[in-house]
Amino acid sequence: MSPEEAIGRILTEYDRASGMHGPFANSHTGYAVILEELDELWEEIKKRRHDRSIDNLTKEATQVGAMVVRFMVDLL
């Protein structure tokens, strides 16, 4: 995957999530959401290699990136 494709996916997810949930209320909420998404990525990473899904890894990594962008846009 190219950097441009990764960023495009992150921005698409950012738009989707922002439209559904609105801005973060505060930095504590933003951190909690980022941590939740990071934990979901970590759960996929911890699976045995043959049980991991590239699609799930990509989805979770995209969501982490999108929530970091939301944090930056909403709170900085």
Side-chain angles (χ1 to χ4, degrees), residues 2-50:
S2 71
E4 294 81 12
E5 183 179 354
I7 290 168
R9 288 179 184 218
I10 289 168
L11 292 176
T12 297
E13 178 61 18
Y14 165 82
D15 288 339
R16 187 194 70 77
S18 294
M20 288 177 54
H21 304 292
F24 289 140
N26 55 52
S27 58
H28 290 89
T29 301
Y31 173 80
V33 172
I34 291 168
L35 186 58
E36 179 183 349
E37 296 301 342
L38 194 57
D39 285 344
E40 291 172 4
L41 177 59
W42 180 232
E43 287 303 314
E44 190 66 28
I45 289 168
K46 290 190 300 186
K47 291 179 181 178
R48 293 180 180 186
R49 187 173 298 270
H50 65 276

